[in-house]
């Protein structure tokens, strides 16, 4: 009997179905509550403040610093994800071809993010662009006949996409040695290898970027940043507004803030908070936490000798965030060299989370899809177990596939960030494990949450544009005033670049000039060139 009562109580906690509606408060409500001081909340807050400067905002962060979780430099790959090197974005089709759609979509999305950052640089919100974004070539590197055949097909397929023109391909060891000397030094001269290279790939310090955005946002009129404050509950009041219960972790005091719109952008911590809202749209979602670790070198000779992000093929069953890469980073103005990530498993949803995050997130609304996802993803479970059991020598052995002369003493294991992969209920298949991001919104759009991981921060701007479309601001979004402002912030808003080389050149030229990046000019069809000349 006691166990059944405990089970009922747990279900009530997870689904918020046994909690009475909080009474209306006489306190003046805030227009926007942003939960989490990471890149997603910073991006949405900045957009909304530009679109409607008189909005009042409150940002809550449970840690005592901004962007200390997933957005922090060492907690993510720091890649400006453009689909140039990430092989998991270009899967083989059943007929042996290459599906380029996802790579093109992600490239388009990153171009949107670059435009939004360029707008902020021009407005002097972010300081010098080199503080957060720099050119680092993006490479794919494989070995073995099957993988080489795949990479060649991938290159051929991407050459048909305008946004990927300028990509180089080689199976010549001497040519690849020029691109990435450390990758080829000490390698068997008879080994068959292949690589692609895009010179204008980027490295992004999302931690610095986020801190700059939040610094500007929190200095704006009507915006308050509260660090060391944990959101513990979100309930709709009798007046239709959201009552957000927040605990000051410094003095232990709690208070309730009324909000017209709530955005849950707390990374891995978003799922438990979304469940607390009790909205029907939250049911059926679960999450699988996956952590990461880097091998980091302090050997300056190695750091100086490598200048590229070299991506390989992921192991069977591994999540996308675990695609191996030998990675040049620019962190706080200093060059660094990392390899990984190696996956870890924890029941925490955040790097600084609780060990009961995973079990506390499972209830009657998502237990079936969670169990089904576990059954259907045995290879992922096997992969995680193998990763957790690895020794330093095991990790260095993997590193030697990319850096043949790697020495164990040159590399130190460092913990990276924690991600939560989405489990989504499917009417036919049960629980599906997804490796992207998902925007979940209430029917009226007054509360939205972002779940998931990769490609994450790189696509923050387009994801937040999607949030606006399903939020309670969607009607304002359609007004001429908001449309004009959006096109000022993102000049390509509402248009695609891949099918229009002339427009792509214009947009890339603009954002690259402002951000002080390289840009490759695309070849334009003869008819377009003639039209441009005639116009001039």
């Amino acid at each position: 009997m006691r166990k059944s009562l405990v089970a009922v109580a747990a279900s009530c906690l997870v689904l918020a179905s046994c909690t009475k509606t909080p009474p209306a408060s006489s306190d003046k409500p805030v227009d926007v509550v942003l939960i989490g001081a990471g890149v997603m909340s910073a991006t949405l807050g900045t957009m909304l403040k530009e679109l409607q400067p008189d909005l009042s905002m409150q940002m809550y962060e449970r840690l005592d610093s901004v962007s200390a979780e997933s957005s922090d430099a060492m907690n993510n790959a720091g890649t400006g994800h453009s689909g140039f090197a990430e092989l998991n974005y270009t899967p083989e089709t059943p007929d042996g071809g290459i599906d380029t759609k996802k790579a093109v979509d992600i490239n388009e999305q990153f171009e949107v993010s670059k435009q939004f950052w360029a707008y902020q640089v021009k407005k002097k919100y972010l300081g010098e662009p080199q503080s957060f974004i720099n050119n680092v070539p993006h490479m794919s590197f494989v070995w073995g006949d099957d993988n080489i055949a795949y990479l060649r097909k991938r290159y051929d397929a991407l050459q048909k996409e305008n946004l990927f023109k300028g990509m180089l391909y080689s199976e010549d060891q001497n040519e690849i040695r020029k691109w990435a000397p450390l990758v080829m030094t000490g390698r068997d001269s008879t080994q068959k290898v292949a690589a692609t290279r895009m010179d204008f790939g980027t490295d992004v310090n999302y931690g610095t970027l986020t801190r700059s955005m939040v610094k500007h946002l929190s200095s704006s009129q009507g915006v308050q940043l509260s660090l060391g404050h944990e959101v513990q509950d979100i309930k709709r009041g009798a007046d239709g507004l959201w009552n957000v219960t927040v605990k000051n972790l410094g003095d232990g005091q709690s208070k309730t803030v009324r909000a017209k719109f709530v955005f849950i952008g707390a990374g891995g911590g978003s799922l438990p908070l979304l469940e607390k809202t009790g909205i029907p749209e939250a049911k059926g979602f679960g999450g699988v936490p996956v952590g990461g670790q880097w091998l980091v070198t302090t050997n300056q000779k190695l750091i100086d000798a490598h200048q590229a992000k070299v991506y390989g093929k992921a192991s069977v069953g591994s999540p996308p965030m675990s695609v191996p890469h030998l990675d040049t980073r620019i962190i706080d103005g200093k060059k660094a060299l990392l390899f990984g990530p190696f996956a870890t498993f924890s029941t925490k949803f955040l790097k600084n989370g609780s060990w009961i995050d995973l079990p506390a997130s499972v209830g009657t609304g998502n237990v079936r899809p969670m169990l089904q996802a576990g059954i259907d993803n045995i290879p992922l479970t096997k992969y995680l177990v193998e990763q957790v059991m690895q020794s330093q020598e095991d990790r260095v052995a993997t590193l030697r596939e990319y850096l043949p002369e790697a020495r164990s003493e040159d590399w130190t294991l460092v913990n990276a960030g924690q991600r939560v992969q989405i489990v989504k209920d499917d009417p036919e298949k049960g629980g599906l494990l997804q490796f992207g991001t998902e925007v979940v919104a209430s029917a009226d759009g007054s509360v939205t949450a972002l779940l998931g991981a990769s490609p994450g921060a790189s696509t923050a701007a387009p994801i937040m544009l999607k949030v606006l479309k399903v939020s309670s601001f969607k009607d304002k979004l359609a007004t001429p005033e908001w449309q004009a402002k959006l096109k000022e912030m993102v000049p390509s808003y509402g248009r695609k670049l891949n099918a229009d080389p002339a427009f792509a050149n214009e947009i890339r030229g603009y954002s690259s000039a402002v951000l002080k990046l390289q840009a490759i000019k695309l070849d334009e069809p003869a008819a377009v060139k003639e039209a441009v000349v005639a116009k001039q």
Side-chain angles (χ1 to χ4, degrees):
M1 179 66 179
R2 183 178 179 183
K3 288 184 178 180
S4 63
L5 289 175
V6 171
V8 170
S11 297
C12 291
L13 179 63
V14 172
L15 298 175
S17 59
C18 300
T19 305
K20 293 182 179 180
T21 302
S25 169
S26 59
D27 295 337
K28 184 179 179 180
V30 66
D31 291 319
V32 177
V33 163
L34 302 169
I35 303 175
V39 67
M40 297 301 176
S41 291
T43 300
L44 180 60
T46 301
M47 283 185 175
L48 283 171
K49 200 62 178 173
E50 292 297 295
L51 289 164
Q52 188 173 330
D54 64 350
L55 285 174
S56 58
M57 294 186 187
Q58 176 68 62
M59 177 182 283
Y60 293 110
E61 168 58 50
R62 61 191 290 270
L63 301 179
D64 58 6
S65 58
V66 171
S67 72
E69 276 282 353
S70 298
S71 301
D72 194 45
M74 291 299 292
N75 289 344
N76 59 68
T79 301
H81 285 295
S82 304
F84 294 148
E86 306 91 323
L87 303 182
N88 54 304
Y89 294 158
T90 48
E92 286 189 88
T93 57
D95 63 0
I98 299 293
D99 184 353
T100 61
K101 183 180 184 304
K102 187 171 184 179
V104 172
D105 285 348
I106 288 173
N107 195 298
E108 293 267 13
Q109 291 178 60
F110 186 59
E111 292 295 336
V112 170
S113 289
K114 286 198 297 182
Q115 293 170 68
F116 183 57
W117 301 336
Y119 168 82
Q120 294 178 79
V121 169
K122 287 181 67 177
K123 299 278 281 188
K124 301 189 183 304
Y125 296 167
L126 299 180
E128 285 298 311
Q130 295 98 326
S131 67
F132 67 88
I133 188 167
N134 292 274
N135 278 121
V136 173
H138 286 194
M139 290 179 58
S140 300
F141 178 74
V142 299
W143 55 90
D145 291 337
D146 290 344
N147 289 337
I148 291 172
Y150 161 78
L151 191 64
R152 190 184 305 120
K153 286 192 298 183
R154 179 183 190 268
Y155 169 76
D156 291 339
L158 288 175
Q159 288 309 288
K160 299 174 184 177
E161 309 292 352
N162 284 311
L163 292 176
F164 291 81
K165 296 294 175 63
M167 179 180 283
L168 304 176
Y169 175 85
S170 181
E171 296 176 21
D172 185 333
Q173 280 205 12
N174 291 326
E175 181 68 16
I176 298 171
R177 187 185 305 274
K178 295 176 184 177
W179 297 349
L182 293 184
V183 172
M184 302 309 298
T185 301
R187 189 172 296 276
D188 185 344
S189 61
T190 64
Q191 184 183 31
K192 294 181 179 179
V193 296
T196 58
R197 177 182 173 98
M198 275 296 249
D199 283 326
F200 72 110
T202 55
D203 173 76
V204 185
N205 186 331
Y206 293 106
T208 296
L209 172 65
T210 303
R211 284 187 285 274
S212 296
M213 279 199 286
V214 172
K215 181 179 179 180
H216 166 74
L217 184 62
S218 60
S219 68
S220 303
Q221 186 174 0
V223 180
Q224 183 176 347
L225 168 66
S226 297
L227 299 176
H229 282 67
E230 183 175 33
V231 174
Q232 296 186 317
D233 204 2
I234 309 170
K235 291 289 183 294
R236 194 187 289 273
D239 56 2
L241 300 180
W242 291 98
N243 291 336
V244 182
T245 303
V246 186
K247 182 179 182 179
N248 184 330
L249 299 179
D251 60 18
Q253 298 297 310
S254 296
K255 66 177 180 179
T256 298
V257 177
R258 297 167 67 231
K260 298 176 183 178
F261 171 75
V262 177
F263 173 67
I264 307 173
S270 290
L271 178 60
L273 291 173
L274 175 62
E275 291 175 330
K276 289 178 183 294
T277 66
I279 61 173
E281 293 81 3
K283 292 182 179 180
F285 283 99
V288 177
V290 179
Q293 294 176 315
W294 301 109
L295 282 176
V296 181
T297 185
T298 55
N299 185 324
Q300 196 60 44
K301 289 184 178 180
L302 295 179
I303 296 170
D304 293 341
H306 186 74
Q307 179 66 18
K309 291 179 178 291
V310 181
Y311 275 70
K313 287 202 79 172
S315 302
V316 175
S318 66
M321 67 170 286
S322 296
V323 174
H325 43 100
L326 183 63
D327 200 355
T328 292
R329 301 289 306 276
I330 310 296
I331 300 176
D332 299 330
K334 188 176 180 180
K335 191 176 176 184
L337 183 59
L338 288 65
F339 178 77
F342 298 94
T344 63
F345 177 77
S346 165
T347 55
K348 293 182 179 181
F349 277 178
L350 292 164
K351 189 173 182 178
N352 296 283
S354 167
W355 295 107
I356 66 169
D357 285 342
L358 176 58
S361 73
V362 181
T364 56
N366 64 7
V367 64
R368 185 182 71 91
M370 287 289 287
L371 290 173
Q372 187 63 51
I375 294 170
D376 292 343
N377 289 275
I378 298 300
L380 174 59
T381 303
K382 180 175 179 290
Y383 170 81
L384 290 175
V385 170
E386 291 173 346
Q387 289 276 290
V388 170
M389 297 298 291
Q390 282 190 327
S391 65
Q392 171 74 355
E393 282 306 314
D394 291 330
R395 297 185 184 95
V396 173
T398 302
L399 169 61
R400 289 191 182 113
E401 295 178 335
Y402 295 84
L403 193 66
E405 295 188 346
R407 300 182 308 168
S408 180
E409 58 266 31
D410 287 332
W411 297 84
T412 302
L413 190 66
V414 175
N415 287 329
Q418 191 80 358
R419 301 290 187 273
V420 176
Q421 306 290 354
I422 305 166
V423 174
K424 189 175 182 180
D425 196 9
D426 183 88
E428 296 181 1
K429 300 180 180 180
L432 292 178
L433 187 63
Q434 296 182 282
F435 295 117
T437 52
E438 182 97 11
V439 174
V440 182
S442 59
D444 64 354
S446 63
V447 62
T448 64
L450 184 68
L451 306 178
S454 181
S458 292
T459 56
I463 289 173
M464 292 306 105
L465 290 174
K466 183 178 179 180
V467 166
L468 289 177
K469 289 179 181 178
V470 298
S471 73
S472 50
F473 295 100
K474 55 182 175 287
D475 291 338
K476 288 188 176 182
L477 189 66
T479 63
E481 294 79 12
W482 278 41
Q483 287 289 303
K485 188 64 180 181
L486 281 169
K487 289 177 182 177
E488 182 185 349
M489 291 190 286
V490 181
S492 73
Y493 179 73
R495 296 179 63 180
K496 295 292 186 181
L497 304 183
N498 193 53
D500 190 340
F503 187 52
N505 284 336
E506 177 186 339
I507 294 300
R508 276 181 164 177
Y510 155 72
S511 60
S512 295
V514 176
L515 297 175
K516 300 182 180 180
L517 300 171
Q518 298 178 37
I520 294 178
K521 193 172 181 63
L522 304 178
D523 289 334
E524 301 169 18
V528 173
K529 290 182 179 179
E530 291 170 5
V532 171
V533 171
K535 185 177 179 181
Q536 293 175 340

